[in-house]
């Protein structure tokens, strides 16, 4: 598979934003990362990873699985439209996108981890 990297004009800004996101994870992202980092779920996981002109929360390259953990702002109408466009593009490129809310990760971590494991090849 050809890797989808950011446009050369956007790469620097996106890279800086990804770095800032890694330093300022939400509580739910931190919980997921503690379990998934390294090969904690059986495959190497990357966080705040650039794919095209997007930064995905977590990426399992071997399975092309993207895990998104959505906080409150994802429930606004505008953000839902933007998320749908983003997800459509990612899926058209061959990626599988799995979304969880912060609440799901924090209150039912076992369910989230089991769902991710099911999709890892």
């Amino acid at each position: 598979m050809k890797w989808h990297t950011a446009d050369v004009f956007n790469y620097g800004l996106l890279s800086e934003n990804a770095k800032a996101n890694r330093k300022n994870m939400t509580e739910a992202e931190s919980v997921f990362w503690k379990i998934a980092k390294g090969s904690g779920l059986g495959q190497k996981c990357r966080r705040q990873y650039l794919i095209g002109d997007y930064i995905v929360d977590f990426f399992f390259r071997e399975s092309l699985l993207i895990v998104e953990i959505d906080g409150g702002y994802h429930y606004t109408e505008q953000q839902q439209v933007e998320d749908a466009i983003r997800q459509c593009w990612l899926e058209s490129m061959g990626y599988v996108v799995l979304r969880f809310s912060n609440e799901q990760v924090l209150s039912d971590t076992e369910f989230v981890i089991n769902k991710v494991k099911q999709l890892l090849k």
Side-chain angles (χ1 to χ4, degrees):
M1 169 179 203
K2 180 182 178 215
W3 296 108
H4 303 97
T5 57
D7 179 273
V8 66
F9 298 109
N10 295 331
Y11 184 84
L13 178 61
L14 287 169
S15 181
E16 286 301 313
N17 287 343
K19 186 176 181 180
N21 290 349
R22 284 191 291 272
K23 289 182 178 180
N24 299 300
M25 289 191 296
T26 66
E27 181 183 2
E29 289 170 338
S30 293
V31 166
F32 185 84
W33 180 240
K34 285 178 187 173
I35 296 165
K37 69 181 171 182
S39 297
L41 295 175
Q43 288 185 20
K44 185 171 183 173
C45 181
R46 299 170 186 269
R47 64 188 166 134
Q48 301 301 321
Y49 190 77
L50 292 164
I51 299 177
D53 287 330
Y54 299 109
I55 302 169
V56 300
D57 290 340
F58 299 95
F59 180 51
F60 296 87
R61 182 182 251 178
E62 186 179 329
S63 294
L64 301 179
L65 176 64
I66 294 167
V67 175
E68 292 290 318
I69 300 176
D70 296 340
Y73 79 94
H74 284 275
Y75 302 110
T76 66
E77 187 174 331
Q78 179 62 35
Q79 190 60 48
Q80 286 183 345
V81 169
E82 290 175 21
D83 286 347
I85 292 167
R86 177 179 189 259
Q87 185 163 334
C88 185
W89 182 85
L90 290 165
E91 289 174 345
S92 76
M93 296 292 114
Y95 300 98
V96 175
V97 179
L98 190 56
R99 303 188 92 84
F100 299 103
S101 68
N102 282 346
E103 292 77 21
Q104 282 179 295
V105 174
L106 296 173
S107 66
D108 200 355
T109 308
E110 188 173 325
F111 167 81
V112 170
I113 297 307
N114 288 335
K115 190 73 174 167
V116 171
K117 284 181 175 180
Q118 288 174 0
L119 293 176
L120 293 175
K121 296 178 184 170

